[in-house]
Amino acid sequence: MDTVEKNQVGNRQAEIIRISTDLFLKNGFSGTSMSKIANACSITKASLYHHFAGKEDLFIACVTDGYKSALIALEDILADTSRRPEAQMRHALDTLYETIISSPVGRMSPLIAEVSRAFPSVARSFHADYIEPQQALLWQLIDRGIDQGEFKDVDKQVLGHLIFGPIVTLSMSREMFASFGDLDAHFPISHLQTGHSDVILGLLKAD
Amino acid sequence: MDTVEKNQVGNRQAEIIRISTDLFLKNGFSGTSMSKIANACSITKASLYHHFAGKEDLFIACVTDGYKSALIALEDILADTSRRPEAQMRHALDTLYETIISSPVGRMSPLIAEVSRAFPSVARSFHADYIEPQQALLWQLIDRGIDQGEFKDVDKQVLGHLIFGPIVTLSMSREMFASFGDLDAHFPISHLQTGHSDVILGLLKAD
DNA sequence: GTCTATACAGTGATAGAC
DNA sequence: GTCTATCACTGTATAGAC
C-alpha cells in the first residue's frame, strides 16, 4: 500500500507528518508529546528532531500539508465552466462539508485555535494560506453567478458568514462530542447539510 | 469596586475562578499552569490545591460559572410574553451574539473543545448544562411563534444549525486571530450580525 | 487557609558517537 | 539518519508545620 517512491520532499517526512497528524487529532497539541510521536514513528526523539526543527515546526507541516488538497478540490469545481453556477455552488457546498468535517485540516480547526494563542505565526499562515484563498474561490463563484444573472447581488461577506459558520461549528461540535456515541443523532451531517444548502441556494437564486 | 460580602460559596473561590478564567482565556488550558494561577492570585500552589482538587476541577468551575448568566439572559427574553415572537427572536439573536462572542463561557468554546479530548466529562457537562438548554430555549421561542401564526413551520434542527453556527465560528475566529490588529475589518461583528439576523427572520416570518 | 519544601514524572531539546 | 545519553526545566500534586 505504501510503495511510494521518494519523489516528494522525502517520504520519511511524509510518513512522520501522517502519523503526527493522526496523533494531534486524537490527543490535541499539548496532549501529543514529541516522545509519543517518535514512538509511534518507531524512531527516537533525536531522529525526529533531525527532520523537524521543533514541535511547532512539525505541527505547521501537518496543517499546511492539508491545505493544498482542500483548495484544489474547490479550484477544480471552479475550473469546470461547463456547469451552471447553481450546480457549481451546490457542488462546492458538498465539498466544503466533506473537507471541513472529514479532512485533517478541517478537523484541526479547534486545534489550530488552541495553538494560535502560543504561536501567532500559525494563525497567520492558516488564515493567509487557507481561509482567505478558500473564501476567495467561493466569492469568485458567486460573482460569476451574479454576472450571469443567475444569482442575486448578495452581500458576500454575510453570505460567507452563513456558509462557513454552520459547517465549521458542526465540525467542531462533532470533534468535541466524539465520545458521545449518539453523535449522528445530535449532529446528523447529511440532514443539516441538505437544509443548509437549500437555504444558501435560496438566498442566491435570482427570482 | 470589589467590596463584595462573603455571602456566596466563599468569595476567595470566586476570586480564584475570576482570575483563572482570565488566564485560561488568554493562554489556553495547557498554556495556563497552576503555578501561574497561584501567582496571579498571590497565593501558593498548595493553597490553590486546598480550594480545588486539581486543574480539571478548577477549569470546570470556571466554565460552569458562566453557564447561568448566559442562560438567564435568554430566559428573561422568553418570560416577557408581552412582546411578539419576532421582536423576541431579534432580541434573542442580539443576546446570543453578545454572550457567545463576549462572555467568558462563549469565548471558551474552543478551549472546551481542547479540554474535551482529555476529559470527556467536561464535554458532557458543557453539552447537557449549556448547549442543550440554550437550544431548548430558542426552540420554545420558535414554537411559540409558529403557534401564533407568525412563524413558518421550519425545521428547527436546521435553523439551530444556521443560527448558532455563524455565531460560534465568528467567536472562534476572533479568538484565533486576535493578534491580527485588523480584527474588525476581517470580522465586523455588527455588520455580520445584522445580515445574519435578517436572514434568520426572513426564513421564519410567515408570508 | 496559608505557608515552605519537595516528590517525581514528563517535557522540549541537544551533544556526540556510529 | 539514527542512535544513546543527558540536559534544564516545568508540570501537577502532596506532606506537614504554622
Side-chain angles (χ1 to χ4, degrees), chain B residues 24 29-34 49 53-60:
Chain B
F24 281 135
F29 180 77
S30 29
T32 306
S33 70
M34 294 297 266
Y49 274 92
K55 194 182 178 182
E56 179 191 357
D57 204 67
L58 173 54
F59 179 76
I60 292 181

Side-chain angles (χ1 to χ4, degrees), chain B residues 79-91:
Chain B
D80 182 6
T81 47
S82 70
R83 308 172 69 198
R84 319 282 305 256
E86 184 185 339
Q88 281 188 317
M89 178 57 76
R90 211 171 263 279
H91 191 183

Side-chain angles (χ1 to χ4, degrees), chain A:
Chain A
M1 206 184 258
D2 264 343
T3 47
V4 201
E5 297 306 301
K6 58 165 195 295
N7 48 358
Q8 295 287 103
V9 241
N11 56 9
R12 196 91 190 85
Q13 255 104 334
E15 198 194 344
I16 295 175
I17 288 177
R18 195 172 45 78
I19 294 174
S20 308
T21 301
D22 224 56
L23 287 176
F24 281 135
L25 280 174
K26 222 171 288 181
N27 309 314
F29 180 77
S30 31
T32 306
S33 69
M34 293 298 264
S35 313
K36 281 183 195 164
I37 293 174
N39 264 335
C41 297
S42 301
I43 55 173
T44 59
K45 267 195 294 182
S47 298
L48 184 54
Y49 274 94
H50 170 78
H51 291 288
F52 298 93
K55 193 181 179 182
E56 179 192 357
D57 204 64
L58 173 55
F59 179 77
I60 292 182
C62 291
V63 176
T64 52
D65 193 59
Y67 290 166
K68 286 145 221 163
S69 50
L71 289 177
I72 286 175
L74 271 187
E75 278 163 5
D76 286 347
I77 294 173
L78 255 165
D80 182 5
T81 47
S82 70
R83 307 171 71 198
R84 321 279 307 253
E86 184 185 338
Q88 282 188 316
M89 177 59 76
R90 210 172 264 280
H91 191 183
L93 289 172
D94 289 350
T95 302
L96 287 177
Y97 265 87
E98 176 67 23
T99 56
I100 293 177
I101 293 179
S102 304
S103 88
V105 65
R107 295 177 52 210
M108 275 209 187
S109 300
L111 232 149
I112 297 170
E114 171 195 350
V115 177
S116 293
R117 283 190 189 81
F119 310 111
S121 67
V122 174
R124 288 217 97 91
S125 154
F126 182 66
H127 189 260
D129 301 333
Y130 179 55
I131 302 291
E132 287 238 303
Q134 194 174 50
Q135 198 168 63
L137 286 169
L138 207 74
W139 288 5
Q140 273 180 48
L141 209 161
I142 297 174
D143 277 331
R144 192 184 295 169
I146 296 175
D147 288 346
Q148 301 187 9
E150 293 204 15
F151 288 166
K152 275 187 280 214
D153 190 9
V154 293
D155 182 323
K156 283 183 305 219
Q157 201 176 27
V158 169
L159 200 79
H161 184 50
L162 291 171
I163 288 175
F164 290 106
I167 308 179
V168 172
T169 299
L170 177 59
S171 173
M172 190 170 85
S173 301
R174 289 181 62 97
E175 291 297 318
M176 278 177 80
F177 306 127
S179 62
F180 277 26
D182 50 356
L183 196 63
D184 286 312
H186 281 102
F187 308 102
I189 298 182
S190 75
H191 177 64
L192 296 174
Q193 176 178 351
T194 305
H196 183 195
S197 301
D198 288 347
V199 167
I200 297 298
L201 265 302
L203 290 172
L204 275 173
K205 265 189 278 189
D207 337 82

Side-chain angles (χ1 to χ4, degrees), chain B residues 6-25:
Chain B
K6 56 161 195 302
N7 46 359
Q8 296 288 103
V9 240
N11 56 8
R12 197 89 188 87
Q13 254 105 332
E15 199 193 345
I16 294 175
I17 288 177
R18 197 172 45 78
I19 295 174
S20 308
T21 301
D22 224 55
L23 288 176
F24 281 135
L25 280 174

Side-chain angles (χ1 to χ4, degrees), chain B residues 144-186:
Chain B
R144 192 185 294 169
I146 295 175
D147 288 345
Q148 300 186 9
E150 293 206 14
F151 289 166
K152 273 187 281 215
D153 189 8
V154 293
D155 182 322
K156 282 184 304 218
Q157 202 177 23
V158 169
L159 201 79
H161 184 51
L162 292 172
I163 289 176
F164 289 107
I167 309 179
V168 171
T169 299
L170 178 58
S171 173
M172 191 171 84
S173 301
R174 289 181 62 95
E175 292 297 317
M176 277 177 82
F177 306 128
S179 61
F180 277 24
D182 49 354
L183 197 63
D184 286 314
H186 281 102

Side-chain angles (χ1 to χ4, degrees), chain A residues 155 157-159 161-162 203, chain B residues 89-90 93-95 97-98 101 166-167 170 187-203 205:
Chain A
D155 182 323
Q157 201 176 27
V158 169
L159 200 79
H161 184 50
L162 291 171
L203 290 172
Chain B
M89 178 57 76
R90 211 171 263 279
L93 290 172
D94 289 350
T95 302
Y97 264 88
E98 176 67 23
I101 294 179
I167 309 179
L170 178 58
F187 309 102
I189 298 181
S190 76
H191 177 63
L192 296 175
Q193 176 177 353
T194 306
H196 184 195
S197 302
D198 287 347
V199 167
I200 297 298
L201 266 300
L203 289 172
K205 263 189 281 188

